[in-house]
Amino acid sequence: MSKKLTVAVCGATGAVGREMLKTLHDRNFPASEVLAFASARSEGVKVPYGDTELTVHELKEDSFVGIAIFSAGGATSTKFSPYAAHSGCVVVDNSAAWRMDDRCPLVVPEVNPEDLEWHNGIIANPNCSTIQMLVALKPIHDAVHIKRIVVTTFQAVSG
């Protein structure tokens, strides 16, 4: 039997945070509790979670237990992720804040799940276009060892 955890979605009122909540629910993630966090101005706002709603709480230094999924921007992640990690929480950060930090593994589960073994409480993930590309290229690389890729992506300024 797997252990159920508390999962905190940080940045729950944004488009990505709402999608993370939807995905956690739709995939029946084995959480004993799902919490929604955002900035002080979102305190008390309701966000959908399946057939129910979660009340958003202000993200604070002592908000963390279990797993924290951050999609609240780099500045927020830089400020709060160390508090979460220090409290024993495992952070999965969706911003660019930790992507180039040698102390944090940069993980795409379908590509390098073994790097999860050496995290120090904060796990980074690449940006969206990189994740999609790496998932598609991993089997090709395993077969023929790709040496170089030149990529151009076009993304919305709003993203």
Side-chain angles (χ1 to χ4, degrees):
M1 176 183 259
S2 64
K3 178 181 174 184
K4 290 193 173 193
L5 297 169
T6 297
V7 177
V9 175
C10 306
T13 56
V16 175
R18 287 174 185 259
E19 190 62 31
M20 288 177 172
L21 288 168
K22 182 180 181 314
T23 301
L24 286 169
H25 181 270
D26 291 352
R27 294 195 177 178
N28 199 26
F29 188 85
S32 56
E33 183 177 26
V34 177
L35 302 171
F37 290 98
S39 66
R41 71 180 177 273
S42 294
E43 176 82 32
V45 167
K46 304 286 188 191
V47 291
Y49 184 70
D51 296 334
T52 64
E53 292 181 320
L54 300 176
T55 301
V56 175
H57 303 283
E58 179 183 357
L59 185 62
K60 297 180 181 177
E61 289 87 354
D62 63 351
S63 296
F64 306 103
V65 62
I67 298 171
I69 304 171
F70 273 80
S71 190
T76 300
S77 185
T78 299
K79 178 178 178 180
F80 289 102
S81 291
Y83 289 110
H86 183 72
S87 74
C89 184
V90 175
V91 173
V92 178
D93 183 49
N94 195 41
S95 77
W98 303 101
R99 289 179 183 157
M100 300 302 289
D101 190 311
D102 291 339
R103 299 167 297 175
C104 302
L106 184 62
V107 176
V108 176
E110 298 84 355
V111 175
N112 62 330
E114 66 280 358
D115 284 348
L116 291 171
E117 298 298 322
W118 62 268
H119 75 81
N120 292 309
I122 301 173
I123 300 163
N125 65 266
N127 75 4
C128 53
S129 55
T130 301
I131 292 170
Q132 294 173 23
M133 177 182 63
L134 290 176
V135 169
L137 291 176
K138 173 73 163 108
I140 298 168
H141 176 72
D142 289 347
V144 297
H145 192 69
I146 298 170
K147 293 181 183 175
R148 181 173 181 232
I149 297 172
V150 177
V151 177
T152 301
T153 64
F154 296 90
Q155 299 178 42
V157 172
S158 63

